[in-house]
Amino acid sequence: MTQSDRLIFGPGSRRPANGFVASILWLGGLVATLVAMAVGAVLAVFTAAAVAVIALFAAVLVFFAGLAMGARRKVTVRARRTDDVIEARKVDGAWVAYGWERTGR
């Protein structure tokens, strides 16, 4: 131990805690420990609840994105085929279509 250490950590730097003072300090440390543990438990519960809410919102978002993607796949632009072309002529002021038949008749 150097001379400066003896001045800092010498016999007068710390008072011994004897008897009644020691028990009060011990109880104070116990109470501080219990309060710290309670605060930590409450913060852990709040953190877990926040994670659960975020997970719920993420699940709802993924669900709606899946619905949107499914709807997007079902709605397709159908290209016109060349055999669907019909011919129409005006006869006596009315249009008459040729080459058109309904499917399923």
Side-chain angles (χ1 to χ4, degrees):
M1 204 181 244
T2 64
Q3 182 64 25
S4 61
D5 288 340
R6 284 190 192 116
L7 290 174
I8 296 172
F9 301 110
S13 65
R14 184 176 156 190
R15 289 184 304 168
N18 296 335
F20 185 68
V21 176
S23 62
I24 290 177
L25 290 177
W26 186 82
L27 282 175
L30 181 68
V31 169
T33 302
L34 292 176
V35 168
M37 289 173 59
V39 168
V42 168
L43 289 176
V45 168
F46 282 138
T47 303
V51 169
V53 168
I54 290 170
L56 178 68
F57 280 119
V60 170
L61 180 68
V62 168
F63 175 73
F64 282 125
L67 284 178
M69 293 301 288
R72 185 176 178 192
R73 283 190 203 114
K74 289 179 183 176
V75 177
T76 57
V77 177
R78 294 183 182 149
R80 298 194 123 212
R81 296 188 330 215
T82 57
D83 58 347
D84 286 344
V85 175
I86 62 172
E87 181 181 343
R89 294 186 184 174
K90 198 166 192 178
V91 177
D92 294 330
W95 287 96
V96 178
Y98 298 97
W100 179 70
E101 293 184 16
R102 283 189 183 167
T103 58
R105 276 180 91 182

